[in-house]
Amino acid sequence: MSALPYLKFAGPVLDEATIAGVAEVLRSGQLTSGPWVQEFETALSAFCEGRPVRVLTSATAAVEVALQLCAIGPGDEVITPAQSFFTVPNMIVKVGATPVFVDCDLATRNIDLGAVDAAITPRTRAIIPTHWPGSLVDMDALHALARRRQLRVIEDAALVIGSRWHGRNVGAFGDLVTFSFHPNKNITSIEGGALVVNSADEANRIEPLRFHGITYLSDRTRDVAFPGGKFNLPDVNARIGVAQLARLPEFLARRRALVDRYFERFATHPACVLPPRPDGDDGQSWNMFSVLLPLERLNLSRKAFRDALEERGIGTGVSYEALHLSTLGRRFGYQDGDFPVTERIARETVTLPLHPALTVADVDRVCAAVAEIITAARK
Ligand SMILES: Cc1ncc(COP(=O)(O)O)c(C=O)c1O
């Protein structure tokens, strides 16, 4: 075991002012959704150039509600990358639609838009791409394709709040956009998510979808016309989210400095496949730093590599498993070999520690440990 402090692979920075702010909310008696939810939604809307935003208990809830806003259900197909987190296919299946997976690009890990075009059928209703840290999906091409084929787009922007495209924040344009405020994301509300929509009408339609399906009648009673979810964010969480959003630029600058250090240290050694290197003020944000291990040249499995880092007090993650090869994915007829790039990433990827509480010395420690383990395992 290492005598050095344990390095988590992800995590938030919560300051004392935020903790004091939470205590105030707790003392106020207004615990569930209230003024802080409104404040958080107003701040997020300003961040998205005035587009309406509604917060929910998670990005997963936001994706489910987005699918419901688009009236996507049984008989419909939704195209999504096989290289992503479980959220999107889970929610597609939950609303009764069929997930149609496509492969991704090895360098950027983003959805292959050529493969999306080829996968469109008369039943296709939407595309749900996941934006990758450091490499946004080509938004010009994505939205042009969606317009041409008359499809809805739900951007899974869970990992990229703060990334910019042609100088504009992700969320400020497009169709529907979802963010996550899980503690591993660029900002947190502990658990939480947001859905950016196109109009006040769409925003109003979210209200019953996130709160039991309830509508309020003029006689001060309530009605339910469909079974809505229970996805309203408590004020305690929204209070944290407001404080975190204000610090987003600072958090992203810190993450970028750490990423620059990773690239500096990995430039010569060891031989991992790195993400595309950032280029000046390119507008990208860095929620994760994931490398591919040269497993064919090592006497070492990925599990053994991760265990060796863990023994040195360094946490890692896997982002992500191949979705089409999950038990759920296979239910839709997918099998090994369908998406070679996704499957290679799923075999070889390791996410190294990256979060704003780390120091450059911590990154140096990670890089030295990675180099040591890989050198010792060379065939
Ligand atoms: C790419 C991606 N999308 C969506 C989610 C879901 O976020 P949440 O935990 O807020 O539901 C995650 C969570 O890790 C994710 O990595």
Side-chain angles (χ1 to χ4, degrees):
M1 265 323 223
S2 169
L4 295 165
Y6 184 78
L7 302 180
K8 291 187 299 180
F9 87 96
V13 167
L14 291 167
D15 53 51
E16 288 303 322
T18 305
I19 294 168
V22 168
E24 265 173 44
V25 176
L26 291 173
R27 287 191 196 99
S28 75
Q30 172 61 55
L31 300 178
T32 190
S33 310
W36 282 104
V37 162
Q38 276 175 19
E39 180 101 10
F40 195 19
E41 289 177 343
T42 302
L44 285 165
S45 177
F47 181 82
C48 295
E49 296 184 15
R51 298 181 84 206
V53 182
R54 293 293 177 270
V55 293
L56 302 102
T57 42
S58 67
T60 303
V63 171
E64 182 175 346
V65 167
L67 287 161
Q68 291 169 330
L69 273 187
C70 298
I72 290 172
D76 296 332
E77 294 176 355
V78 180
I79 301 176
T80 197
Q83 176 50 224
S84 183
F85 187 62
F86 303 105
T87 283
V88 170
N90 279 358
M91 293 305 105
I92 293 169
V93 175
K94 195 172 173 196
V95 300
T98 301
V100 174
F101 292 113
V102 294
D103 213 345
C104 69
D105 179 79
L106 182 65
T108 67
R109 305 205 187 177
N110 279 318
I111 193 165
D112 176 342
L113 290 174
V116 172
D117 208 351
I120 295 170
T121 75
R123 283 146 61 112
T124 307
R125 297 287 315 285
I127 310 168
I128 312 189
T130 294
H131 288 293
W132 201 258
S135 308
L136 290 177
V137 174
D138 180 335
M139 302 263 230
D140 299 336
L142 167 71
H143 290 292
L145 172 64
R147 271 193 304 275
R148 187 157 44 80
R149 305 299 295 264
Q150 294 186 302
L151 299 175
R152 298 298 300 260
V153 174
I154 303 169
E155 290 170 49
D156 172 7
L159 306 172
V160 297
I161 191 165
S163 286
R164 290 195 303 278
W165 181 256
H166 299 323
R168 301 176 74 187
N169 285 334
V170 170
F173 61 97
D175 189 356
L176 304 179
V177 183
T178 58
F179 293 119
S180 172
F181 308 126
H182 176 276
N184 288 357
K185 302 304 188 283
N186 290 344
I187 56 169
T188 191
S189 58
I190 308 308
E191 296 289 355
L195 174 55
V196 190
V197 297
N198 296 292
S199 63
D201 173 58
E202 275 185 346
N204 290 337
R205 285 169 51 212
I206 294 175
E207 298 301 341
L209 289 168
R210 72 174 170 178
F211 198 69
H212 307 286
I214 285 176
T215 48
Y216 297 89
L217 306 180
S218 56
D219 66 354
R220 297 187 66 192
T221 64
R222 295 161 293 184
D223 184 32
V224 165
F226 65 88
K230 176 66 167 67
F231 303 137
N232 59 301
L233 190 74
D235 255 20
V236 173
N237 301 77
R239 173 69 185 83
I240 299 169
V242 167
Q244 289 269 304
L245 184 59
R247 292 190 66 183
L248 177 62
E250 177 200 337
F251 292 154
L252 293 186
R254 175 99 211 117
R255 286 174 176 277
R256 173 62 193 272
L258 297 169
V259 162
D260 285 344
R261 186 65 171 187
Y262 267 121
F263 277 104
E264 227 174 89
R265 291 296 305 259
F266 272 122
T268 50
H269 178 72
C272 296
V273 178
L274 304 179
R277 193 168 187 153
D279 180 19
D281 184 13
D282 60 5
Q284 302 286 348
S285 68
W286 287 86
N287 179 255
M288 292 193 290
F289 190 78
S290 299
V291 301
L292 300 186
L293 295 176
L295 287 177
E296 74 287 355
R297 281 179 273 139
L298 303 179
N299 287 312
L300 187 81
S301 67
R302 176 177 55 191
K303 178 181 180 304
F305 173 82
R306 295 182 66 205
D307 289 348
L309 280 177
E310 192 70 30
E311 273 165 28
R312 289 164 173 77
I314 297 171
T316 57
V318 171
S319 305
Y320 293 101
E321 295 82 356
L323 294 173
H324 64 295
L325 300 182
S326 65
T327 302
L328 181 62
R330 287 180 192 273
R331 246 172 55 194
F332 290 88
Y334 293 97
Q335 48 192 327
D336 298 71
D338 282 346
F339 303 122
V341 178
T342 292
E343 290 168 33
R344 176 174 168 196
I345 293 169
R347 273 193 311 274
E348 299 180 357
T349 191
V350 175
T351 301
L352 300 174
L354 180 66
H355 53 84
L358 288 182
T359 64
V360 165
D362 293 331
V363 171
D364 289 350
R365 185 179 143 203
V366 175
C367 292
V370 169
E372 183 190 302
I373 296 163
I374 287 188
T375 304
R378 267 215 196 102
K379 278 182 185 163

